[in-house]
Structures are given as C-alpha cells and as structure tokens.
Amino acid sequence: MSTFMTDFARDIAPRAMKKARISAEGFIEAYNNGTAELVDIRVGSETAVWQVNFGLKIPAPDLPERLDELPKDKLIVVACPQAARSSMARTYLHSQGFRVKYLEGGLLGLVDRLKGGRAKDIQL
Amino acid sequence: MIEKDFAAYLTSFDYDERLAMKIQAPEMLRLYQEGRVQVIDIRFTEEQTAWQLGFGQHIPLNELPDRLDELDPNKTIVTMCPHYDRAEIARLFLTMKGYHARYLTDGMLGIANILRGDTARDYMVTLTEKK
C-alpha cells in the first residue's frame, strides 16, 4: 500500500473533512475572488443534458491524461451531481499534488443555490 | 388562437384540470423525444447564464407576452423553472392565450437530478437517434 493512501486513510476524520470539501457558498466566494476553479467531472452524456456555464469540463475517467489542463495557482473544486464521484476525483487529484476540494452538495446543490436573483451572486 | 376568459376558466376549474395542468418529468422527457411538446425555460436571463439544459428553448417569463410567435400552437407547451412556481404562472398565461400548456412539476432541478450517469447517456442517445 502506498504511503499516500495510508496517510490519506489515517486522515479520514471529522476534523479533516473541511480540508476535503467546500460548500456552494464558499465556492462562489472563492470563484468571485479568482482563487478557485470549478471542474465538472461528469461524463460527456451528462454535460450534454445540462451545462454549468463556467469552469472546466473534464470527465473523471479523463483526469489522468488531462492533468495539465488544471490550474496550479488556484484551488480546484471538483463536482459531480452530488458528491460520490467528486470525492473520488478529489482523492486522486490530491494524490497527484493538487490543491483540491470537492463541492459539498454537488452541482445540484450549486444550481439550486443559483436560482432567481441569486444567480447574479456568481460573477461571470 | 382562441383566448380564454380568466373568470370562466376559474369557474370551470375541476379535478381533471388540476391534473391536466401539470406534467411530470418522465412523461415530459418521453413526449419531447416524440416531438410532441415544446419545452420552455422561463427563468431570468442571469439564471440561464449560470446553467442551462441541453434541450428546450429559453424565453424569460417577462418576455413571454411579446414572444408568443415562437411557440408552436400544434404542440403542448411545457413551461419550466427551477422548481415550479414561475412555471405555473407561465402555464396559466399561455392557457389564457389559448395554448395547450402544462408546467413541469419536478422543475429543472428535478430534470438535472433525474438525468445523471447512465440515465443521461440513454436519454441523449435516444434524442440523437430521433434526429
């Protein structure tokens, strides 16, 4: 077992979770400050059905070949509909040395947050 | 189009109309595949700028009165918003204007929730096959 995975497992505790995830509110603030980038890791057929009109679209299975597209100077926020796949993607990118969190509540939580006049809260 | 009288509509409102004015996501997705409905996103422009569905048309609710010519009178018009409150306003307006309109009870958030993973793939495959 790799050292990374062993250390990672030892860190799976409530106090460490804030290092792994970010709320929709926290993401919007960081995005507006220019300190975070969204990465939608859904597969192509999912992004064809509905699209978030900001951030990057890199399907999770393509991440290993497309690491060079990820910004090195920003917090990477990976997101899927909820949080199952994004949590795995976050672990992978973390293992590759990126500063990365997964989006708590997922893309569904984010678009629910961005409804009505509150859609303007994200500066596009 | 033959416009309806609001008071007459309310007077005749019954259990059948209470059902007929709504459409749930599975039926909407099926009828859209079959080309029998026109799907309209009636959210404000800034909401559509943030995120959108990969199908249907965007006509903001406050532009709807001036853009009726974009609607197909031979199809059922399905109105949708994040949940359903504004979609119902649009549905009522279109019904008064003489269109056959229903509002999506699941909302666009419901569609986004339903069309994930393999379900999204299967739906888009059937849409492509239709075209």
Side-chain angles (χ1 to χ4, degrees), chain B residues 64-80:
Chain B
L64 198 51
D66 297 323
R67 295 177 62 179
L68 291 176
D69 57 339
E70 294 174 42
L71 302 177
D72 185 344
N74 299 313
K75 286 184 180 177
T76 297
I77 313 296
V78 175
T79 57
M80 60 183 185

Side-chain angles (χ1 to χ4, degrees), chain A residues 42-43 45-54 81-82 85 108 111-112 114-117 119-120 122 124, chain B residues 43-44 46-55 82-83 86 109 111-113 115-117 120-121 123-124:
Chain A
R42 293 178 301 156
V43 296
S45 49
E46 293 179 286
T47 45
V49 169
W50 65 276
Q51 301 95 33
V52 177
N53 294 328
F54 48 93
Q82 289 177 334
R85 284 177 274 164
L108 292 170
V111 297
D112 190 25
L114 294 175
K115 60 175 187 264
K120 289 179 195 160
I122 192 148
L124 304 176
Chain B
R43 295 175 303 158
F44 291 109
E46 56 269 22
E47 296 178 275
Q48 206 238 359
T49 303
W51 74 281
Q52 66 193 54
L53 292 186
F55 55 93
H83 291 293
R86 285 177 276 162
L109 294 169
I111 295 286
N113 190 27
L115 294 180
R116 329 194 275 242
R121 182 200 59 203
Y123 189 68
M124 291 315 273

Side-chain angles (χ1 to χ4, degrees), chain B residues 21-25 79 82-84 103-107:
Chain B
M21 69 183 186
K22 303 174 187 181
I23 188 166
Q24 291 180 318
T79 57
H83 291 293
Y84 55 79
Y103 75 91
L104 180 67
T105 54
D106 311 66

Side-chain angles (χ1 to χ4, degrees), chain A residues 64-91:
Chain A
E65 279 75 47
R66 297 177 61 181
L67 291 178
D68 57 340
E69 294 176 38
L70 298 171
K72 309 279 189 292
D73 56 341
K74 287 183 180 180
L75 173 69
I76 295 162
V77 177
V78 286
C80 65
Q82 289 177 334
R85 284 177 274 164
S86 62
S87 175
M88 287 191 272
R90 187 262 163 188
T91 304

Side-chain angles (χ1 to χ4, degrees), chain B residues 5-14:
Chain B
D5 175 68
F6 198 0
Y9 175 74
L10 288 185
T11 309
S12 67
F13 190 85
D14 57 11

Side-chain angles (χ1 to χ4, degrees), chain A residues 8-105:
Chain A
F8 179 78
R10 289 205 171 105
D11 211 22
I12 302 173
R15 61 177 160 69
M17 287 314 289
K18 65 177 183 295
K19 288 193 287 188
R21 67 188 178 207
I22 186 167
S23 65
E25 212 55 52
F27 163 72
I28 291 168
E29 190 184 336
Y31 182 87
N32 289 343
N33 291 336
T35 56
E37 182 63 286
L38 184 77
V39 181
D40 179 350
I41 56 133
R42 293 178 301 156
V43 296
S45 49
E46 293 179 286
T47 45
V49 169
W50 65 276
Q51 301 95 33
V52 177
N53 294 328
F54 48 93
L56 306 174
K57 291 177 178 59
I58 306 180
D62 299 349
L63 278 172
E65 279 75 47
R66 297 177 61 181
L67 291 178
D68 57 340
E69 294 176 38
L70 298 171
K72 309 279 189 292
D73 56 341
K74 287 183 180 180
L75 173 69
I76 295 162
V77 177
V78 286
C80 65
Q82 289 177 334
R85 284 177 274 164
S86 62
S87 175
M88 287 191 272
R90 187 262 163 188
T91 304
Y92 170 70
L93 294 178
H94 179 47
S95 80
Q96 299 299 305
F98 287 92
R99 198 160 58 85
V100 55
K101 294 183 178 188
Y102 72 87
L103 184 65
E104 196 176 354

